[in-house]
Structure formats: structure tokens, C-alpha cells
Amino acid sequence: PPRGAPSSAISITAMARLPLLLLPMLTLAVQGQPPYPLYKQCDSAWGDDIMVTKTICSVGCLMSSVSDGLGGYNISIPAADGSYVEANPGTLNKWLQLNDGYDDSDDLIESVVPQIDPGRITWPEDGMYKTKDGLTYELILQWIEAGRVVIANVLEGHHFVLSVGGSEDGDTIEVHDPGFDTANYSYTDDVVGFRIFDMS
């Protein structure tokens, strides 16, 4: 299924009933990251906007998480009229549509994103992790603390969230979840991969 889309086995309705993971914990301070906004993919301002064949609300979790990263770094989106607009899922979606930023299955083409502002955005060689092979929880926290835009792939690969912190428990990743009111996920049990961008 498209990245960010629920499979037939896991519906949006079923996922929405998942309990909030509000564990008592001491959150680790994050030094190098900016204050990221939290954009919801189903916001009425853009939730019904079509990406390719489906709406942002349906499958726009990865793109919405990228827009959180852009917003945190105050990176504006070039508009069609030559002006610049604030990054959010609506403006990023329009830009991606005009710049071949999606494939035919509504999947974001990550390598296109740096074209928004090549001097400030990089899709690095280590940007795509379809599994956690070679990764550790400690490394992910180092990247978050260094200010990398670390987007976790969760819910058996059907959803994306922006990682914003960790915990002394050695497993919890605090997130900005564009689709659900979930504050954190388990690195061990919930995360299956990552997308990483470098922004400045």
C-alpha cells in the first residue's frame, strides 16, 4: 500500500482506537533541534486536498511530517507566482504536485524535497531506512539531538511521525503524530524504519 496509507488489515478507524501511549517518564532534553510545529494531515484547511489520487487526510502522513520539519527550520515554500509561503501540508502538497514530488501511488519522492531550498535541505545518503538494521535507539536520539529531521515509520509500516525526543527508558520515542493523538511510540515494538532529512 502507499506509504502512509492504512492497509486493508489496519483501517484508520481501528488505528484511531489505539490507546495513547502516555507512559510516565523523564523526557530527555533535546538541545539541537528547532521548535517543530505539529501539522495534522486531516486539518480542514488541507485534509481534503488531493495529492495524486488520494487525499492528504488519507495518505499524507509522511508529507505532513516533512512539513513539520520545514516549519521548524522556517523554510518557506516557493509558490507558483514566485512568492514564498509558509510550509504546511497544504503548501507543500501544492509544490510537490508542480515539481514531480509524488509517484503514481501517492508516495512522496524524498529526493525531490531538497529542491525547495537546496542550500538548506539535504536528502542524505543515509536518508532511507526501510528497516532498523544497523540502527540503535541511542543513534536515533543522537540524530534528533543534533537537529536532524528524523521521521519514524510506525504501525507496521503504514504511518509516519516526526521524532522529537526520547526517554531514559531506552525505548520511547516522543513524536509529533500528524494522524493520531499519540505522543510517543516504542522503538522496539512500533518503529519499523526511518526517513532522515538534514535541514538548516
Side-chain angles (χ1 to χ4, degrees):
R3 286 181 284 185
S7 71
S8 57
I10 303 177
S11 70
I12 287 283
T13 304
M15 287 192 293
R17 287 196 292 260
L18 292 174
L20 292 180
L21 302 173
L22 300 176
L23 306 174
M25 69 188 77
L26 177 63
T27 301
L28 298 178
V30 178
Q31 302 291 330
Q33 75 174 16
Y36 295 113
L38 170 54
Y39 292 120
K40 291 294 191 176
Q41 66 193 75
C42 293
D43 189 298
S44 60
W46 50 70
D48 290 334
D49 293 357
I50 297 294
M51 294 165 61
V52 178
T53 62
K54 297 176 181 157
T55 66
I56 294 175
C57 185
S58 297
V59 297
C61 54
L62 176 55
M63 184 271 293
S64 296
S65 296
V66 171
S67 71
D68 284 357
L70 295 171
Y73 280 98
N74 293 312
I75 298 173
S76 298
I77 305 287
D81 64 3
S83 65
Y84 285 82
V85 295
E86 178 181 299
N88 61 49
T91 58
L92 179 55
N93 179 57
K94 288 175 184 164
W95 185 90
L96 290 166
Q97 289 174 325
L98 294 171
N99 291 275
D100 299 317
Y102 296 118
D103 66 17
D104 292 339
S105 298
D106 294 270
D107 288 343
L108 174 70
I109 301 173
E110 291 90 346
S111 61
V112 173
V113 173
Q115 295 174 27
I116 292 168
D117 192 334
R120 299 182 64 196
I121 308 167
T122 303
W123 169 243
E125 288 186 18
D126 67 340
M128 174 74 75
Y129 290 91
K130 292 188 176 181
T131 70
K132 293 184 290 187
D133 292 349
L135 300 176
T136 64
Y137 178 79
E138 293 74 22
L139 179 60
I140 295 302
L141 288 194
Q142 287 173 17
W143 287 349
I144 294 170
E145 291 165 5
R148 301 189 87 183
V149 176
V150 178
I151 299 171
N153 192 197
V154 298
L155 300 179
E156 300 179 357
H158 302 294
H159 190 49
F160 287 91
V161 295
L162 179 66
S163 306
V164 297
S167 167
E168 287 188 343
D169 69 7
D171 183 64
T172 301
I173 296 180
E174 295 203 352
V175 302
H176 282 186
D177 190 328
F180 307 106
D181 293 327
T182 304
N184 48 64
Y185 287 94
S186 163
Y187 177 82
T188 303
D189 297 332
D190 299 321
V191 177
V192 298
F194 291 92
R195 304 293 184 272
I196 315 293
F197 290 90
D198 291 318
M199 300 184 188
S200 61

